[in-house]
Amino acid sequence: MNGILIIAHAPLASALRQCVLHVFPDNPDSLAALDVQPNMPPEETLAQARIIYGQLGTSHVLVLADVFGATPCNVAQKLVDGVHSKLITGVNLPMLLRTVSYRHETLDALVSRAVTGGTQGVMQVAITAPQNQIRRPNDQEQHEHQQ
């Protein structure tokens, strides 16, 4: 099983971990979070990340960071090796739920699942009920309900 480490600005990492554990309470030890505190030196954050990484006790780790180019991502880049650990930035809850659901797959497959879950979880939702929405001329199904 792959370990999952969330590194994000405080308190996002811990909040995301708690949300995931609400849905998937099994194996909380394989899901860790590091909240990067304001004004904490990157070297200290990296030292904490290495400790948490080691405590996961898994041979492969997927590291998820919040914003590319920010301190959490920069620290994570120094933590991963690209073989036994990989990094994805732009973490969101749909990405995490998908990742935890498929954490038994290979690390490369897990990366693909995570990115797909993250991107498919972002969508605009209509503000009107489906039955009140205007139909497009090329809609083939003319049902009055949404599936």
Side-chain angles (χ1 to χ4, degrees), residues 68-85:
F68 180 78
T71 300
C73 184
N74 295 340
V75 166
Q77 284 181 294
K78 294 176 183 171
L79 187 65
V80 299
D81 65 9
V83 178
H84 294 25
S85 54

Side-chain angles (χ1 to χ4, degrees), residues 1-84:
M1 178 169 45
N2 295 296
I4 301 166
L5 173 56
I6 309 160
I7 303 177
H9 292 88
L12 183 59
S14 293
L16 285 170
R17 182 179 186 272
Q18 289 304 313
C19 288
V20 170
L21 292 177
H22 176 78
V23 178
F24 296 106
D26 299 339
N27 300 327
D29 295 336
S30 65
L31 176 63
L34 174 59
D35 287 314
V36 177
Q37 300 298 325
N39 303 319
M40 180 181 284
E43 301 80 28
E44 190 175 327
T45 303
L46 180 58
Q48 285 184 328
R50 287 186 173 136
I51 292 168
I52 294 169
Y53 183 100
Q55 291 172 343
L56 283 169
T58 59
S59 59
H60 292 91
V61 177
L62 180 59
V63 180
L64 304 169
D66 54 359
V67 179
F68 180 78
T71 300
C73 184
N74 295 340
V75 166
Q77 284 181 294
K78 294 176 183 171
L79 187 65
V80 299
D81 65 9
V83 178
H84 294 25

